[in-house]
C-alpha cells in the first residue's frame, strides 16, 4: 500500500495511518466508513497478528448485510478465543456505516494490538449520529425530527434486528436527541425562538 493510496485522514491519527500502511492489506482502505464495514479488512488486520485464529479465506469481501453479519460473527468468535472484546456499539456502528464508527473501531484495534495509547481516543464519546454535522449547518438548514430519523436510523439496522419494540425505542431515542438539541439551540440563540414564533404566526 503506497502513501498515495492511504485512507482518508478524517478521524484517523497519523500513527494509525502509518500502522495500516505497514500491514500490507489486500486493498487500500480509502473510505473507512465503507471499507471496514463488512469486516474483511478487519479480519486481515487481526490475521497479521493471529494468523491461526483469523484465516482470511473464511471471510468474504462483499457488501450484503448477510456477508457483513457473517464476517463480524466470525471475528467476534475468534476474538473471544483471545479473551478480547471490541465495544459492541462500535462494531454495530461500523457495520451500519455510522459517522465516525469505523474510525473509532480502527483506533480501538490499533491500541489493542500495539499496546500504544491514542490521546484523542479517550477524549471523545462514541456518538455515531449526525449531531456534529448538523451543528455546522445554519439554523434554518438543520434537520427536522423526521429528517433526524432518516439520517440516524439505517435500513440495514432494521433488517439486522427487525424487532418492532427495539426499532421503536431507537426512533424515540433519536427524537429525544433531536428535541434536546433544539432546546439547547433555542437557549443559546433566543432570536431563533422569536423567528420560529414569527414564522408560525405568519402561517
Amino acid at each position: 500500500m503506497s502513501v498515495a493510496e492511504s485512507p482518508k485522514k478524517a478521524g484517523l491519527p497519523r500513527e494509525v495511518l502509518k500502522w495500516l500502511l505497514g500491514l500490507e492489506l489486500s486493498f487500500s482502505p480509502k473510505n473507512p466508513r465503507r471499507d471496514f464495514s463488512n469486516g474483511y479488512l478487519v479480519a486481515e488486520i487481526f490475521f497479521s497478528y493471529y494468523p491461526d485464529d483469523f484465516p482470511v479465506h473464511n471471510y468474504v469481501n462483499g457488501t450484503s448485510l448477510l456477508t457483513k453479519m457473517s464476517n463480524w460473527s466470525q471475528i467476534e468468535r475468534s476474538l473471544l478465543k483471545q479473551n478480547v472484546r471490541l465495544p459492541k456499539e462500535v462494531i454495530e456502528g461500523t457495520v451500519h456505516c455510522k459517522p465516525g464508527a469505523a474510525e473509532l473501531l480502527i483506533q480501538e484495534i490499533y491500541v489493542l494490538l500495539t499496546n500504544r495509547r491514542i490521546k484523542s481516543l479517550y477524549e471523545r464519546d462514541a456518538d455515531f449520529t449526525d449531531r456534529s454535522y448538523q451543528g455546522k449547518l445554519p439554523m434554518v438548514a438543520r434537520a427536522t425530527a423526521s429528517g433526524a430519523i432518516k439520517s440516524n436510523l439505517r435500513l440495514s439496522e432494521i433488517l439486522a434486528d427487525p424487532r418492532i419494540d427495539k426499532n421503536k425505542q431507537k426512533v424515540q431515542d433519536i427524537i429525544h436527541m433531536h428535541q434536546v438539541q433544539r432546546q439547547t439551540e433555542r437557549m443559546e440563540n433566543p432570536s431563533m425562538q422569536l423567528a420560529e414564533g414569527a414564522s408560525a404566526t405568519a402561517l
Side-chain angles (χ1 to χ4, degrees), residues 128-197:
F128 306 135
T129 68
D130 69 343
R131 179 164 47 187
S132 175
Y133 168 72
Q134 291 293 327
K136 297 174 184 177
L137 296 175
M139 295 291 185
V140 295
R142 294 180 186 177
T144 60
S146 61
I149 294 170
K150 291 178 182 178
S151 297
N152 293 294
L153 182 61
R154 300 282 196 264
L155 175 60
S156 60
E157 289 182 81
I158 299 173
L159 294 175
D161 188 350
R163 288 177 296 173
I164 294 175
D165 58 336
K166 184 73 176 291
N167 288 301
K168 184 178 179 181
Q169 184 61 53
K170 288 182 179 180
V171 169
Q172 290 174 343
D173 290 344
I174 292 170
I175 292 174
H176 176 70
M177 177 194 73
H178 176 76
Q179 290 173 336
V180 170
Q181 189 170 354
R182 296 295 283 182
Q183 288 172 358
T184 302
E185 290 168 357
R186 291 189 183 101
M187 290 176 62
E188 294 175 349
N189 301 275
S191 59
M192 174 186 174
Q193 191 165 1
L194 292 173
E196 288 179 344

Side-chain angles (χ1 to χ4, degrees), residues 87-101:
K88 192 69 176 178
E89 67 273 16
V90 179
I91 291 177
E92 291 181 354
T94 300
V95 170
H96 302 301
C97 299
K98 294 296 188 74

Side-chain angles (χ1 to χ4, degrees), residues 9-124:
K9 292 186 178 180
L12 287 176
R14 182 182 297 273
E15 63 264 37
V16 177
L17 289 172
K18 289 177 65 178
W19 171 69
L20 285 173
L21 290 170
L23 293 178
E24 298 184 357
L25 303 176
S26 61
F27 68 94
S28 305
K30 296 181 176 65
N31 183 327
R33 189 187 303 187
R34 178 196 64 207
D35 295 335
F36 290 107
S37 175
N38 66 7
Y40 185 81
L41 283 182
V42 175
E44 284 196 342
I45 291 172
F46 280 113
F47 173 78
S48 299
Y49 290 81
Y50 307 110
D52 293 335
D53 293 321
F54 291 87
V56 178
H57 63 268
N58 286 350
Y59 297 86
V60 178
N61 185 20
T63 58
S64 72
L65 179 61
L66 185 62
T67 294
K68 293 180 180 183
M69 301 298 285
S70 175
N71 284 348
W72 278 105
S73 178
Q74 290 186 72
I75 289 171
E76 290 186 278
R77 288 199 302 270
S78 296
L79 287 175
L80 281 177
K81 294 179 182 178
Q82 303 294 331
N83 198 28
V84 170
R85 289 180 183 272
L86 291 172
K88 192 69 176 178
E89 67 273 16
V90 179
I91 291 177
E92 291 181 354
T94 300
V95 170
H96 302 301
C97 299
K98 294 296 188 74
E103 291 86 348
L104 184 57
L105 175 82
I106 297 307
Q107 292 179 68
E108 292 273 4
I109 294 173
Y110 170 81
V111 170
L112 174 69
L113 295 178
T114 66
N115 291 317
R116 299 172 186 166
R117 290 176 61 86
I118 302 176
K119 184 179 179 182
S120 61
L121 183 63
Y122 304 98
E123 293 178 345
R124 58 180 292 187

